[in-house]
């Protein structure tokens, strides 16, 4: 085995992230490369410095070696800095902003291949931006209302010819929240959306679901036989059903390519639902989505593809 290289790939994610572990292993096995791992919550417990001088720029974090040698970054799951609290809320906000501004600026200034660009990543996580961009890209979208107006929500639900689902609009960390069909009991709870804008959408009766891992134009599509298990509304709820590699129709691939280009994303995990009418409905794209289980279930070399992108600038896997 070739000697391990260091410092060319940076993985920014939680220390216990299994996806970060899997990519690090793949980089070692496929490219003889030992990546840098960074959990942003370690700052400011650890020291950091950015210096600009006549002979160039240097960046350093006391617990991370080789930042100035980084050629590619997987912006996997960044976190706010973990700043100790004080007795003054105003001071807490100030210190949090200063720490986040320093660490983000230090990292974002690295002239590397970013997967994904942090600005594009942040914008693309906004569900409304996704839906509008997907619509303009030619994707089929279930009719949707996102609102905190109780009367608007009640009117939308009453006007639809079939069932309506509801789901969260934000993407913050927290307990898993499933997509559910609106029931009579839910109608009595509609006033709670006043302080929590909610997504309402036509329920799509499905043949099956698809999860597509997009690696710079390469589609790793997996068919999920969701309708045979408990996840017939939300396919994330059941991993015991069948998972098989699949291919997308050319028209769907073209729309997804347009979507990802417009969002500025190199990488993303896309959820589609194939309706009983044969239409491929776009549900969402998660720039930081989960996909390790798809590789485990199907054997698709998704991590190999991502590693190739970060090291070679091309996610093609020649021996697939």
């Amino acid at each position: 085995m070739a000697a391990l290289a260091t410092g060319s790939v940076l993985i920014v994610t939680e220390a216990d992230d299994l996806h970060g572990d899997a990519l690090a292993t793949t980089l070692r096995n496929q490219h003889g490369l030992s990546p840098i791992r960074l959990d942003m919550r370690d700052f400011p417990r650890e020291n950091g410095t950015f210096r600009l001088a006549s002979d160039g720029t240097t960046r350093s974090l006391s617990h991370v070696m080789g930042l100035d040698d980084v050629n590619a970054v997987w912006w996997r799951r960044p976190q706010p800095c973990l700043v100790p609290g004080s007795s003054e809320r105003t001071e807490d906000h100030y210190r949090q902003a200063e720490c986040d501004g320093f660490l983000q600026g230090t990292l974002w200034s690295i002239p590397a291949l970013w997967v994904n660009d942090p600005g594009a990543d942040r914008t693309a996580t906004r569900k409304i931006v996704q839906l509008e961009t997907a619509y303009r890209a030619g994707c089929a979208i279930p009719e949707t209302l996102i609102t905190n107006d109780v009367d608007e929500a009640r009117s939308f639900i009453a006007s639809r010819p079939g069932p309506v689902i509801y789901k969260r609009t934000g993407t913050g960390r927290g307990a898993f929240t499933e997509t559910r069909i609106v029931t009579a009991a839910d109608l009595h709870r509609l006033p709670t959306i006043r302080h929590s804008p909610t997504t309402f959408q036509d329920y799509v009766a499905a043949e099956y679901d698809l999860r597509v891992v997009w690696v710079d134009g390469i589609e790793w599509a997996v068919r999920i036989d969701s309708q045979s298990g408990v996840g017939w509304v939300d396919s994330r709820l059941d991993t015991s059903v069948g998972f098989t590699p699949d291919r997308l129709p050319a028209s769907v691939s073209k729309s997804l390519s347009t979507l990802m280009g417009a969002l500025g994303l190199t990488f993303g995990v896309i959820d589609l639902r194939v309706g009983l009418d044969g239409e491929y409905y776009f549900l969402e794209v998660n720039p930081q989505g989960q996909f390790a289980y798809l590789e485990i279930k199907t054997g698709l070399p998704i991590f190999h593809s991502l590693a190739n992108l970060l090291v070679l600038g091309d996610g093609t896997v020649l021996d697939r």
Side-chain angles (χ1 to χ4, degrees), residues 182-241:
V182 176
T183 65
D186 294 320
L187 295 177
H188 298 296
R189 297 170 51 240
L190 280 179
T192 63
I193 72 171
R194 170 61 63 189
H195 300 110
S196 180
T198 299
T199 299
F200 299 93
Q201 205 168 50
D202 282 348
Y203 169 70
V204 176
E207 286 281 357
Y208 56 91
D209 287 270
L210 285 165
R211 179 158 271 209
V212 181
V213 184
W214 177 276
V215 183
D216 197 26
I218 297 172
E219 301 163 348
W220 301 101
V222 176
R223 171 177 171 149
I224 305 170
D225 291 329
S226 55
Q227 303 309 291
S228 64
V230 298
W232 56 276
V233 174
D234 188 335
S235 65
R236 299 170 297 171
L237 295 176
D238 189 1
T239 58
S240 68
V241 297

Side-chain angles (χ1 to χ4, degrees), residues 13-18 20-21 37-42 79:
T13 191
E14 300 106 326
D16 58 353
D17 177 35
L18 296 179
D21 295 341
R37 292 284 297 268
L38 173 62
D39 187 334
M40 297 174 70
R41 296 172 298 185
D42 290 336
Q79 296 282 349

Side-chain angles (χ1 to χ4, degrees), residues 115-137:
V115 181
N116 291 296
D117 173 83
D121 188 284
R122 183 173 183 177
T123 300
T125 60
R126 300 299 182 237
K127 300 293 182 66
I128 293 173
V129 174
Q130 291 183 18
L131 290 169
E132 171 65 19
T133 307
Y135 175 75
R136 289 189 279 106

Side-chain angles (χ1 to χ4, degrees), residues 122-131 146-147 166-179 195-200 236 283-288:
R122 183 173 183 177
T123 300
T125 60
R126 300 299 182 237
K127 300 293 182 66
I128 293 173
V129 174
Q130 291 183 18
L131 290 169
I146 304 175
T147 188
Y166 66 98
K167 56 186 177 181
R168 67 178 301 183
T169 300
T171 57
R173 301 288 187 262
F176 172 80
T177 55
E178 65 183 278
T179 298
H195 300 110
S196 180
T198 299
T199 299
F200 299 93
R236 299 170 297 171
L283 301 180
E284 68 172 284
V285 54
N286 188 341
Q288 301 165 14

Side-chain angles (χ1 to χ4, degrees), residues 19 211 222 224 235-236 238-239 243 269 271 289-299 302-303:
H19 285 72
R211 179 158 271 209
V222 176
I224 305 170
S235 65
R236 299 170 297 171
D238 189 1
T239 58
F243 286 73
V269 180
D271 288 324
Q290 308 281 59
F291 62 92
Y293 70 102
L294 300 177
E295 179 160 327
I296 293 169
K297 291 281 189 179
T298 65
I302 304 173
F303 280 104

